[in-house]
Amino acid sequence: MYNDRIEAAPLSMELHDGFPDAIDLLSVGSLCRNAFLRSSWYSAGAAGEGHTLIAKRADGALLAAIPTTKMGPSLIGVKKVPGSYWPFRSVLVAEDAHVLELAEMLSQDAARKALGPIWRIGPLAADDATTAIVTNAAAMAGWSVLERRVGKSWLLNLEEIGGDRAWPSKSTTKRLRQYERRLSEQGQLRWRHVTG
């Protein structure tokens, strides 16, 4: 039997300018377990300009946070989830969230208005648990979900970056030394090289 209304517990929706502290609270117990997805992470990727859609359960518990910033021509109204570094541009969903709750959230007019006609999550890892539940919920709520695979591995050849110029350049080397000096003021630095 088809229902055009998804049955889930009542939710409240809030649209915040910027990236509120609620993001930090939700990142601690989020489904994706990437605790670094905090307010400052999204703010850095959006140059401080953006909005966050927050969904709360009837008891006031946080369900989800979808930070967005504008992308492309403003006439179209496309939004994306910002982030400092890809592939970590995911939204935050409570660890105990159910797909029906998220579908209810995404079917509400407040969510459709806040997110616009098109919004992008990612790039991110294909096995991201948050993406799986959000894409299923979005499809249930009537959104068209498109997926695009971008690759499995990347090779960054630093010798080719600068072309004929040496890399890093003198100015980049100087700037990196300044960063290192500032960080060492906060405590002892250690370098680890991780492969694999």
Side-chain angles (χ1 to χ4, degrees):
M1 183 163 130
Y2 177 76
N3 255 335
D4 65 347
R5 186 81 180 144
I6 297 163
E7 295 301 324
L11 301 173
S12 64
M13 310 284 278
E14 301 170 0
L15 182 62
H16 294 265
D17 288 334
F19 309 100
D21 293 338
I23 291 173
D24 297 348
L25 295 173
L26 194 53
S27 71
V28 175
S30 71
L31 187 60
C32 70
R33 301 186 193 278
N34 289 332
F36 60 85
L37 293 177
R38 301 174 67 82
S39 175
S40 57
W41 176 266
Y42 296 110
S43 182
E49 296 180 18
H51 295 90
T52 302
L53 178 66
I54 303 278
K56 293 181 180 179
R57 295 178 170 130
D59 64 0
L62 293 168
L63 173 67
I66 303 178
T68 58
T69 189
K70 293 178 183 176
M71 174 182 169
S74 59
L75 181 64
I76 299 173
V78 177
K79 295 184 180 179
K80 68 176 180 176
V81 174
S84 295
Y85 181 78
W86 69 287
F88 300 110
R89 293 190 183 156
S90 188
V91 300
L92 295 169
V93 173
E95 192 170 24
D96 63 346
H98 191 277
V99 68
L100 288 178
E101 288 179 298
L102 294 172
E104 173 65 26
M105 171 192 163
L106 293 172
S107 68
Q108 291 188 19
D109 290 338
R112 292 184 182 277
K113 184 177 178 184
L115 297 173
I118 302 170
W119 54 288
R120 182 185 90 181
I121 299 176
L124 42 80
D127 61 351
D128 180 64
T130 303
T131 305
I133 194 170
V134 170
T135 53
N136 287 337
M140 290 173 69
W143 291 85
S144 296
V145 178
L146 306 174
E147 291 183 38
R148 187 176 95 186
R149 301 212 181 270
V150 293
K152 293 183 180 180
S153 63
W154 292 266
L155 175 64
L156 178 62
N157 187 340
L158 297 178
E159 293 175 358
E160 291 179 4
I161 289 177
D164 295 334
R165 299 172 299 166
W167 194 91
S169 66
K170 290 180 182 179
S171 63
T172 300
T173 302
K174 182 179 177 182
R175 192 170 56 247
L176 291 173
R177 283 191 191 122
Q178 289 173 346
Y179 294 149
E180 183 178 357
R181 188 171 49 252
R182 281 190 220 147
L183 284 171
S184 66
E185 291 172 1
Q186 307 220 355
Q188 182 180 0
L189 295 180
R190 291 185 310 206
W191 298 97
R192 290 187 336 173
H193 297 272
V194 180
T195 61

